[in-house]
């Protein structure tokens, strides 16, 4: 069996162990500690935001953001349909209803036109949405300037889901820094990892102070345990933050390699008219290319479908996945309001994520490309012969 090629696996830089050892040596094997403080400072600096709370997960960050905006049972919150379930779950935790917005075709992210239609429609129906959660999927910036302009016009706060997009930029400004709040994920498969973890970021200091308070069981300032509101156990541990400190030293190398991998696939696979890429629409957009994503058009691929390609790669021990299944197609969300462009359904039907780990060698990429080229060229030659006969 060929060596396994992962979609996106943890990639240690080397100094992570030193920070984790420091935690052991000083017995800071606890939630919070010097690694957490330093990691928060590093995240703030890297993403050009004022304040950061290091948390146990990106999902926890979004949950706290919604709580701080006062989202409660019966409220409505606008979200992208084309995303991972964690972008929407915390809305449900609060008893609120997600209003799902479809994608536009250029970045595959939230369509600004449908966003505005939805806001007007919900206001006409008597409920102004409490928040908007645009997602920068696979690291690709959403049309964040248009989304912010609409949000500002209707005075609705924005929480950017930049879980997959650390280091991506729009017009040179890091994602996560546009909205009132933003969040990142440091799950094992993301651009950098703390094994598991996340961060809430904002330029509003009191929001970050409040999030740290809520994330540590909402303990009031008193010698005994005093509670005026309900808290959560959402802080990051000092061990995990040690991994994160080491990862911050190599994040730019990771992103450079993710971008190289995208360009490598694009150069090798652009010969096939039936394969199209999720790519930066113009120079305003700068993606970390967390995952390289393609669409497979069977009519132009000699009849070969996304699933045939996926299964062929699986057979060669190559990890690749369909794109995220949109939330409006998920059984658990079948009853949620949805503002459609038709785009995310097509993306889900034809889209494939290619292995994009920053620790992949060119030989690994050649193996992936080999499987695709082999399958498509055979099918296209066969089709050509048939049309000649
Ligand atoms: C990973 C991810 C999250 C959740 O982050 P966790 O750290 O896994 O809780 C949220 N949104 C998107 C788009 C993600 O990819």
């Amino acid at each position: 069996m060929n060596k396994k090629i992962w979609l996106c696996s943890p990639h240690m830089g080397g100094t992570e162990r030193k920070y984790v050892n420091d935690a052991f040596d000083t017995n800071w094997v606890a939630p919070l500690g010097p690694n957490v403080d330093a990691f928060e400072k590093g995240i703030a600096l890297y993403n050009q935001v004022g304040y950061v709370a290091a948390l146990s997960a990106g999902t926890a960050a979004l949950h706290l953001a919604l709580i701080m905006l006062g989202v409660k049972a019966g409220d409505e919150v606008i979200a992208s349909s084309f995303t991972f379930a964690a972008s929407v779950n915390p809305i449900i935790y609060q008893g609120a209803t997600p209003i799902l917005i479809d994608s536009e075709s250029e970045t595959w992210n939230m369509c600004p036109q449908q966003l505005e239609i939805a806001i007007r429609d919900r206001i006409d129906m008597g409920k102004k949405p409490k928040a908007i959660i645009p997602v920068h999927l696979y690291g690709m910036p959403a049309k964040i300037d248009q989304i912010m302009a609409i949000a500002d016009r209707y005075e609705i706060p924005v929480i950017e889901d930049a879980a997959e997009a650390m280091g991506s930029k729009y017009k040179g400004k890091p994602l996560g820094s546009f909205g009132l709040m933003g969040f990142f994920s440091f799950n094992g498969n993301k651009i950098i990892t703390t094994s598991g973890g996340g961060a809430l970021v904002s330029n509003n200091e009191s929001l970050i102070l409040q999030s740290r308070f809520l994330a540590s069981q909402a303990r009031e300032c008193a010698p005994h345990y005093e509670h005026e509101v309900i808290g959560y156990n959402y802080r990051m541990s000092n061990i995990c933050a040690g991994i994160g400190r080491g990862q911050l030293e190599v994040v730019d190398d990771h992103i450079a390699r993710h971008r190289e991998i995208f360009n490598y696939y694009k150069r090798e696979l652009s010969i096939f008219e039936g394969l199209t890429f999720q790519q930066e629409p113009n120079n305003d957009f700068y993606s970390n290319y967390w995952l390289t994503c393609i669409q497979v058009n069977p009519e132009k691929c000699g009849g070969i479908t996304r699933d045939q390609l996926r299964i062929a790669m699986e057979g060669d021990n190559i990890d690749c996945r369909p794109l995220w299944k949109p939330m409006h197609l998920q059984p658990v969300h079948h009853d949620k309001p949805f503002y459609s462009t038709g785009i995310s359904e097509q993306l889900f039907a034809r889209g494939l994520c290619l292995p994009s780990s920053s620790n992949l060698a060119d030989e690994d990429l050649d193996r992936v490309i080999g499987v695709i080229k082999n399958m498509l060229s055979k099918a296209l030659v066969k089709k050509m012969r048939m049309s000649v006969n």
Side-chain angles (χ1 to χ4, degrees), residues 57-59 83-84 86-87 135 137 161 163-164 183 185 187 190 197 324:
T59 311
T83 188
F84 174 49
S87 314
V135 182
L137 213 60
D161 180 343
E164 302 175 356
F183 68 95
S185 167
N187 203 351
K190 301 287 160 75
W324 297 121

Side-chain angles (χ1 to χ4, degrees), residues 28-204:
W28 271 105
V29 184
L32 303 182
N35 280 337
V36 174
D37 298 341
F39 184 57
E40 286 179 343
K41 285 206 184 82
I43 291 288
L45 203 66
Y46 188 78
N47 299 290
Q48 295 171 32
V49 285
Y51 308 94
V52 175
L55 302 169
S56 56
T59 311
L62 177 57
H63 191 198
L64 292 179
L66 293 173
I67 291 167
M68 292 189 292
L69 292 177
V71 172
K72 54 186 188 325
D75 285 341
E76 295 187 345
V77 173
I78 292 186
S80 294
S81 183
F82 186 52
T83 188
F84 174 49
S87 314
V88 168
N89 284 343
I91 303 171
I92 310 283
Y93 301 165
Q94 287 307 100
T97 302
I99 307 298
L100 301 171
I101 311 292
D102 209 340
S103 303
E104 37 82 7
S105 60
E106 285 191 308
T107 73
W108 303 4
N109 288 308
M110 181 182 277
C111 170
Q113 282 75 36
Q114 288 304 315
L115 168 65
E116 186 154 21
I117 290 169
I119 293 173
R120 288 206 187 141
D121 196 36
R122 303 324 289 180
I123 292 175
D124 284 348
M125 288 163 75
K127 257 183 205 168
K128 183 170 159 179
K130 280 284 188 75
I132 302 169
I133 313 169
V135 182
H136 307 292
L137 213 60
Y138 304 116
M140 182 61 67
K143 294 189 170 171
I144 193 68
D145 55 342
Q146 293 182 42
I147 292 171
M148 288 308 300
I150 295 165
D152 289 345
R153 203 175 315 135
Y154 293 90
E155 299 184 317
I156 303 172
V158 168
I159 307 165
E160 284 177 84
D161 180 343
E164 302 175 356
M166 191 161 122
S168 297
K169 296 178 183 126
Y170 181 78
K171 289 190 175 161
K173 190 170 145 66
L175 301 185
S177 69
F178 287 83
L180 175 63
M181 290 176 264
F183 68 95
F184 302 108
S185 167
F186 310 116
N187 203 351
N189 58 354
K190 301 287 160 75
I191 211 91
I192 59 166
T193 185
T194 59
S195 77
L200 184 70
V201 305
S202 179
N203 287 315
N204 181 316

Side-chain angles (χ1 to χ4, degrees), residues 63 243 377:
H63 191 198
I243 302 174
S377 354

Side-chain angles (χ1 to χ4, degrees), residues 236-261:
M236 182 179 278
S237 95
N238 197 50
I239 299 289
C240 294
I243 302 174
R245 282 179 82 180
Q247 289 272 283
L248 270 178
E249 293 173 8
V250 290
V251 60
D252 281 332
D253 301 337
H254 284 200
I255 292 172
R257 182 60 182 155
H258 280 265
R259 289 180 60 85
E260 233 171 59
I261 288 172

Side-chain angles (χ1 to χ4, degrees), residues 4 19 45 54 110 202 254 257 265 323 355 360 372:
K4 174 93 178 177
Y19 295 111
L45 203 66
M110 181 182 277
S202 179
H254 284 200
R257 182 60 182 155
Y265 281 130
L323 301 182
L360 290 177
I372 298 176

